[in-house]
């Protein structure tokens, strides 16, 4: 074991990031699902749904869908333990503030979740990782809601 390995081991021991057997550090979800490639495919599938959705498409920038995809991809990769590219480039996420310009009621929340669930299922990650991803997306999507529409 190199000095670096011993150092990482100590840091992970302090952070409690060990698997039960105490020798192999617990992998992040980012690592478990295969790293950046998973999040590339996830947001590509998600945005394929968004651009074809009449309820969501008008909210997104006409001339910068690639940029929007990259921002979401970098945010999710960082959130699940990947590189800190998102906050290095855009600062603190402040997601609710960044979504304030868009009307997000139950319809938009549910449409966003429909496309994200479909994207997750298209990649078929391990069931435990799928559950963790979807639990987070449901909580986060509801947290972005900033409007209600009177039911007809
Ligand atoms: C609930 C329904 C949601 C709607 C309708 C929605 C809509 C949008 C729109 C229109 C943008 C601007 C696109 C751009 O220029 O980047 C955006 C940005 C973004 N959204 Fe959402 N969003 C929703 C939920 C979420 C959730 C749940 C997350 C995180 C799990 C998220 C993460 C982001 C991120 C990281 C950005 C880029 C922010 C930036 O750096 O400027 N969004 N969203």
């Amino acid at each position: 074991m190199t000095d670096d390995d011993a150092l990482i081991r100590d840091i992970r021991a302090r952070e409690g990031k060990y698997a039960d057997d105490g020798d192999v550090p617990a992998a992040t979800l980012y690592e478990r699902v295969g790293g950046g490639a998973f999040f590339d495919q996830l947001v590509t599938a998600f945005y394929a749904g968004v651009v074809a959705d009449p309820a969501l498409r008008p909210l997104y920038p006409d001339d910068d869908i690639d940029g929007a995809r990259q921002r979401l991809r970098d945010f999710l990769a960082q959130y699940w333990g990947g590189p800190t590219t998102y906050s290095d480039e855009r600062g603190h996420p402040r997601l609710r503030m960044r979504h304030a310009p868009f009307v997000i009621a139950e319809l938009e929340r549910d449409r966003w979740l429909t496309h994200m669930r479909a994207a997750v299922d298209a990649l078929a990650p391990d069931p435990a990782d799928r559950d963790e991803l979807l639990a987070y997306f449901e909580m986060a999507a509801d947290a972005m809601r900033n409007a209600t529409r009177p039911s007809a």
Side-chain angles (χ1 to χ4, degrees):
M1 178 180 290
T2 67
D3 290 351
D4 283 353
D5 289 343
L7 179 62
I8 290 167
R9 212 185 120 92
D10 293 347
I11 291 167
R12 290 208 165 132
R14 270 199 299 279
E15 291 168 346
K17 290 186 178 167
Y18 266 110
D20 296 348
D21 62 11
D23 203 17
V24 181
T28 61
L29 185 144
Y30 177 84
E31 291 161 329
R32 292 198 304 269
V33 297
F38 176 88
F39 292 95
D40 292 339
Q41 294 163 22
L42 183 74
V43 295
T44 297
F46 168 73
Y47 267 97
V50 165
V51 295
D53 187 321
L56 292 180
R57 183 64 187 89
L59 300 180
Y60 290 83
D62 271 336
D63 55 355
D64 193 20
I65 282 290
D66 288 345
R69 194 185 5 244
Q70 192 65 40
R71 290 184 280 276
L72 181 61
R73 180 246 180 245
D74 290 346
F75 170 79
L76 296 176
Q78 178 177 330
Y79 181 83
W80 292 106
T84 59
T85 311
Y86 179 85
S87 45
D88 297 345
E89 292 178 2
R90 302 195 56 79
H92 189 287
R94 280 190 277 264
L95 285 186
R96 267 193 66 84
M97 185 205 80
R98 290 182 200 265
H99 286 82
F102 316 114
V103 174
I104 303 180
E106 293 79 1
L107 172 71
E108 290 79 10
R109 177 202 60 196
D110 295 346
R111 300 301 307 155
W112 193 97
L113 278 173
T114 297
H115 299 305
M116 190 53 85
R117 279 197 199 101
V120 169
D121 286 340
L123 296 177
D126 180 85
D129 293 331
R130 176 185 182 276
D131 293 348
E132 207 177 323
L133 285 160
L134 293 184
Y136 167 70
F137 287 133
E138 274 148 29
M139 177 278 298
D142 198 51
M144 293 310 128
R145 208 158 39 87
N146 55 24
T148 54
R149 284 198 189 83
S151 47

